[in-house]
Amino acid sequence: MHKVITKCPVCTEEMKIMKLKCNHCNTIIENEFSISKFDRLSKDQLNFVEVFLACRGNIKDVEKQLGISYPTVRGKLDEINNALGLVIKKDTTKEKEKIMDMLENKEISSEEAVNLLKKL
């Protein structure tokens, strides 16, 4: 059996599943069905997720199992999170407060504060 194709081979936009068939009674249902987030992952990414789960999230065990370094494990986790739409934004509250304190204490100009805040 083949994996569901999730990206159009012509324009690379997301594909939709339009038909389902029962192998037992041959019932066919046509509609517009969504795909799972996990269907968007490549075979390598799915393999990594399986190893990660089997290791219960222990990065040291993942390193040993796959023979890769800690930074590579972190990079693969970031890549998979991005593919799943799970990009977690960094909490910048403390950095913002520090910039505002610097502005209030006239250590930086308002223009510098704006530039620093844009970089967060």
Side-chain angles (χ1 to χ4, degrees):
M1 209 177 290
H2 300 282
K3 185 178 183 236
V4 173
I5 298 170
T6 59
K7 299 278 183 186
C8 174
V10 176
C11 70
T12 70
E13 288 297 315
E14 189 171 305
M15 303 273 291
K16 294 180 182 174
I17 299 168
M18 302 299 290
K19 186 189 281 190
L20 298 173
K21 179 185 174 207
C22 174
N23 287 333
H24 178 71
C25 70
N26 291 324
T27 297
I28 295 174
I29 301 172
E30 291 189 36
N31 205 330
E32 190 173 302
F33 303 98
S34 61
I35 59 172
S36 162
K37 288 181 180 183
F38 292 96
D39 288 323
R40 297 181 189 136
L41 299 179
S42 69
K43 286 182 182 180
D44 288 339
Q45 290 171 328
L46 279 173
N47 180 58
F48 180 87
V49 169
E50 288 177 11
V51 170
F52 185 80
L53 292 174
C55 293
R56 297 179 174 222
N58 184 312
I59 292 180
K60 290 279 187 203
D61 290 345
V62 174
E63 287 177 59
K64 288 177 190 170
Q65 181 89 17
L66 296 176
I68 58 178
S69 67
Y70 177 83
T72 303
V73 172
R74 292 293 306 258
K76 287 186 178 290
L77 286 171
D78 289 343
E79 175 186 304
I80 290 167
N81 280 334
N82 286 332
L84 295 174
L86 301 174
V87 180
I88 299 170
K89 292 191 176 185
K90 179 176 118 176
D91 183 9
T92 58
T93 306
K94 289 184 181 182
E95 289 94 339
K96 288 177 183 177
E97 288 175 0
K98 183 177 178 183
I99 293 168
M100 296 310 289
D101 287 342
M102 290 169 59
L103 178 62
E104 188 176 303
N105 295 331
K106 298 183 181 176
E107 296 172 25
I108 58 173
S109 69
S110 57
E111 185 178 315
E112 290 172 310
V114 168
N115 288 333
L116 289 170
L117 290 169
K118 283 181 182 177
K119 291 179 183 177
L120 295 180

